[in-house]
Amino acid sequence: MNTPNVEAVKLDELNCWRIRHGQAEVLVAQQGAHILSYQIDGQPPIIWLNDKAVFKTGKSIRAGVPVCWPWFGKFERNPQSVQAMYTGEQPAPAHGLVRAMDWELGGIEAEEHGIKVEFKLPYPDGGLPDWPHQVDLSLTLHLSEQLSFSLTSHNRGNDTVSLSQALHTYFAVSDVRHVHVDGVDGLNYIETLDDWKTHSQQGDLRFAGETDRIYVDAPPQLSIVDPTWERRIVLTATGSRAAVIWNPWIDRAAALADMDNDGWQRMLCIETANVLDDIVTLAPGASYTMGVIVASKAL
């Protein structure tokens, strides 16, 4: 069993940890329990750190793996049962409430074949602002020959709670125009750029413009095939039927202050999610875990 190799670092205003095991390294910010990057020595990054990401207290980070909870995406696009959980008078922010909050480090420990890191979200007994529900939230990370991370919600209150969520992962690619996603052929998806109409995927997914699709019954395993970098990034999801695939392309990226105008070429989001009819309903005392394993394999 190896001794955990952990270094405390600071990126601008944010406290972070650089964690190594063998040739693998992951960088995690305390704010949002946000995985910022993941890379194997001598190889291109696997999780994308975005050169123009902003590391400011209270500001969400556009990079790595944002945690979207207790709802995902635009609030009004969520099922009514999820919307009913929110009690605020102001419009609810996109992607939930926890991305810009400081989480507590629950522990870092060595395992037989890697390192385990756990983060917990602290908040008052009254719940989050405008979300008064007693749900404990934790993010657990395992770093070995691959990276796995999972989000666990535990309802310790007396009422049933409904939520949607996502691990909004930005993957690094050589050039999104030259990669493809396999595992989606024949699947139905919601095309959010076409008035949320349902379409059927024909063949692998390739990219020639802005993409924002929700694959509603995705298989547990999808892959990003990158011939230029001669690798396949394999994603194995648990606790999720939906996969959201997103790339902003030229115009949308140009409108984002925290992304280079050509940053869209170097990233592709595949988000492990519970959305639409795959939301989570937690009875009192119940727990639910959603997660993903990320592995890089040579072509």
Side-chain angles (χ1 to χ4, degrees), residues 4 9 54 68 85 98 106 124 127 146 156 158 176 179 187 199 217 250 257 264:
V9 297
V54 176
C68 304
M85 298 290 101
V98 303
Q146 56 195 14
R156 58 183 173 83
N158 297 319
V176 73
V179 308
L187 298 181
H199 296 258
D217 281 303
I250 300 169
W264 60 272

Side-chain angles (χ1 to χ4, degrees), residues 160-178:
T160 296
V161 175
S162 295
L163 58 92
S164 65
Q165 58 182 349
L167 294 164
H168 191 310
T169 311
Y170 289 75
F171 290 98
V173 296
S174 61
D175 188 324
V176 73
R177 296 167 294 186
H178 301 151

Side-chain angles (χ1 to χ4, degrees), residues 210 248-256 261 264:
E210 183 179 354
W249 215 253
I250 300 169
D251 293 343
R252 184 86 181 273
L256 299 173
N261 285 351
W264 60 272

Side-chain angles (χ1 to χ4, degrees), residues 66 162-163 175 197 200-201 212 238 266 278:
S162 295
L163 58 92
D175 188 324
K197 294 177 182 175
S200 180
Q201 177 70 41
D212 191 359
T238 56
R266 299 186 290 275
D278 187 33

Side-chain angles (χ1 to χ4, degrees), residues 21-83:
H21 171 74
Q23 294 184 309
E25 179 178 293
V26 62
L27 182 65
V28 186
Q30 180 180 10
Q31 180 174 282
H34 195 127
I35 298 168
L36 296 174
S37 66
Y38 168 49
Q39 186 163 7
I40 308 296
D41 290 347
Q43 298 181 22
I46 297 169
I47 290 179
W48 186 62
L49 182 59
N50 182 10
D51 294 336
K52 290 196 73 175
V54 176
F55 304 107
K56 298 291 186 183
T57 301
K59 180 173 176 58
S60 301
I61 307 165
R62 190 183 302 282
V65 189
V67 175
C68 304
W69 188 96
W71 60 81
F72 168 73
K74 293 182 178 179
F75 180 72
E76 61 272 15
R77 284 289 184 180
N78 281 265
Q80 187 56 45
S81 60
V82 173
Q83 294 188 43

Side-chain angles (χ1 to χ4, degrees), residues 271-292:
E271 305 158 35
T272 303
N274 293 124
V275 294
L276 300 177
D277 65 350
D278 187 33
I279 62 170
V280 176
T281 301
L282 286 174
S287 295
Y288 192 87
T289 299
M290 178 191 71
V292 63

